[in-house]
Structure formats: C-alpha cells, structure tokens
Amino acid sequence: MILVLLGPPACGKGTQARNIARHLGGTHISTGFLLREAVEQRKPLGMLAQRYVDAGELVPDDLVISLVREVLQCGDNSGPAVLDGFPRTVSQAQALDAFLPPDRVILIELDNTEVILRISGRRMGPNGESYHVLYNPPPQGLVAVQRSDDREDVVRERLEIYHRQTEPMLEFYERKGLLCRVSGKGSIEEVFDSILPLLG
Ligand code: AP5
C-alpha cells in the first residue's frame, strides 16, 4: 500500500506520517528529511540540493524523483509506505504513478496563520522527528534544534511555493478520485483520529 500525505509546510505531515506508519507497521519516507540528511552528510545529492532547501524552493524534479525511486526500490517493499512531502509537482505525481501508483492521497489542510505558529515553535529531534515547544514538547534531556529553513523569510517563500507549485497538483489526484481532505486543526490525536477511517 502506498499512502501519500500532502499539505502546506508545518501542517503536520511528518507528525502524522510517523504515527500512521507506526499504526500500519509500515515505512515513513520523508523527502525533506532525506534531503536534509544528504546535505548534512555532504553527499553529492546534498551538494546539489542545499541551495534550494536553504532558500525554501523546490529541489528539481529529476533529483527528487530518482531519490524516491531509489528508496522505494531498495527498501523492504512488503509493508505499506507513507510518503511525506512527495510528490509536490504534477511531474512528480506523474512519475510516481508510472512506478508505484498511490492507493490513497490525504491532504492535511491548514491556514497560513496556524502554519506560522507551528513553525515558530518547531524543534527537530536527532532522528528527524518534530516537536513543538508548546504543543508537543521534546522529552527532557533530548537535544532538539530549530531547522535552518524555519526562518520567517524562508517560511513565507515555502508557503508561496506550496500555493503556486503544489496546489495545482491536487487536481491531478482529485480527477483520479484519490484525494481525501482532512483538517489539520485540533490536537495531534484529533487529526490522527480523522485520518484513521481513511486507512482501511
Ligand atoms: P519538508 O521537510 O517536507 O518541509 P515542508 O513540506 O515545508 O513540511 P514541514 O516538514 O515543514 O512540516 P510538516 O507538515 O511535516 O509538519 P510537522 O509534522 O513537522 O521539505 C523541506 C524542503 O525540502 C522543501 O522546502 C524543499 O526544498 C525540499 N523538498 C522536500 N520534498 C520535496 C519534493 N518532493 N520536491 C522538491 N523539493 C522537496 O509539524 C509542524 C510543527 O507543528 C511541529 O512542531 C509539530 O510538533 C507541530 N504539530 C504537528 N501537528 C500538530 C497539531 N495537530 N497541533 C499542534 N501542533 C502540531
């Protein structure tokens, strides 16, 4: 089973994708995490991607598509895969359809004001997990840091790019009858509860 989670920056894709993968016994695949890891480890992909990630722009389609294809082909494909942050353009959606068409596409909707609130309090754990200083504090003693692309000017660019480049892709899945919308408002548990019936 291939499940795609979509939505604006900080709508809760990563938080919910982890919970869904745990619930289904599947794998959580976050392109944002994989790209940040490649940048930190100075891999060739990271060198190519860094300037886009730092500026809040989309990394070119060909790079992201081959990254996801590699992960899906190399990993253990027996269980469900939860894709978080991929696809983000019509080209990426078409490419995914060609090698592993998704079974469900869930859009987590959240308005810009709430996005800014969530991003300003977000802190990242060592394994790419998201915490929030108020809503989901990191466990005591764990070192959680702010993401470099969570600066206000970069966040505004990420939001703008989401509306301009990713929203048009939603029609692609709407026409296929695959798109389900859930509200990202409410607690992490409330959002998860509204996703659960869509997983059956
Ligand atoms: P990526 O890492 O995917 O960033 P994003 O899409 O902007 O999403 P975020 O990771 O910011 O947020 P999220 O929705 O996962 O929210 P989270 O669960 O953390 O991508 C980063 C960059 O990589 C892109 O800008 C681009 O450059 C590149 N990239 C990635 N994929 C690409 C692709 N396919 N093509 C091209 N380029 C690509 O939650 C946010 C905060 O809110 C946290 O603090 C969390 O604890 C808190 N929270 C979550 N849910 C709730 C809730 N219900 N109530 C209260 N707080 C909550």
Side-chain angles (χ1 to χ4, degrees):
M1 182 202 206
I2 303 290
L3 181 73
V4 167
L5 276 195
L6 302 174
C11 66
K13 298 182 294 296
T15 302
Q16 297 300 334
R18 275 179 179 265
N19 291 343
I20 295 167
R22 199 176 303 129
H23 177 82
L24 296 175
T27 315
H28 169 205
I29 299 169
S30 157
T31 43
F33 173 75
L34 292 171
L35 290 166
R36 283 188 290 281
E37 189 182 55
V39 169
E40 271 170 32
Q41 296 177 357
R42 300 189 163 274
K43 291 182 179 168
L45 169 68
M47 306 287 209
L48 294 169
Q50 181 164 20
R51 72 186 170 94
Y52 300 100
V53 175
D54 285 349
E57 293 166 10
L58 293 187
V59 172
D61 285 338
D62 53 339
L63 292 180
V64 184
I65 290 167
S66 42
L67 169 71
V68 173
R69 190 181 281 135
E70 197 185 306
V71 171
L72 286 173
Q73 281 169 352
C74 294
D76 166 17
N77 286 329
S78 53
V82 186
L83 296 183
D84 155 17
F86 180 90
R88 287 191 201 216
T89 63
V90 173
S91 302
Q92 291 180 19
Q94 287 167 336
L96 180 63
D97 245 27
F99 65 90
L100 220 47
D103 301 282
R104 307 240 190 317
V105 178
I106 298 175
L107 169 67
I108 304 179
E109 296 181 300
L110 198 67
D111 59 52
N112 289 1
T113 315
E114 189 68 22
V115 161
I116 302 286
L117 267 179
R118 293 210 185 158
I119 281 191
S120 57
R122 173 163 53 192
R123 300 293 180 272
M124 303 303 292
N127 299 311
E129 70 277 27
S130 289
Y131 298 100
H132 192 282
V133 290
L134 296 177
Y135 308 136
N136 180 25
Q140 202 135 41
L142 185 131
V143 180
V145 297
Q146 196 154 27
R147 253 167 63 174
S148 60
D149 63 343
D150 278 354
R151 285 198 339 258
E152 193 174 330
D153 55 328
V154 182
V155 171
R156 294 205 181 278
E157 177 66 10
R158 282 161 57 198
L159 264 173
E160 161 65 21
I161 285 184
Y162 173 76
H163 294 307
R164 188 157 32 92
Q165 290 184 259
T166 302
E167 275 183 348
M169 184 195 70
L170 302 179
E171 205 194 319
F172 178 88
Y173 288 122
E174 215 144 31
R175 269 191 276 115
K176 288 177 176 285
L178 287 178
L179 191 74
C180 305
R181 295 168 188 266
V182 298
S183 168
K185 281 205 162 183
S187 69
I188 292 171
E189 294 73 23
E190 285 166 340
V191 176
F192 185 63
D193 284 347
S194 62
I195 291 175
L196 262 183
L198 307 173
L199 304 179

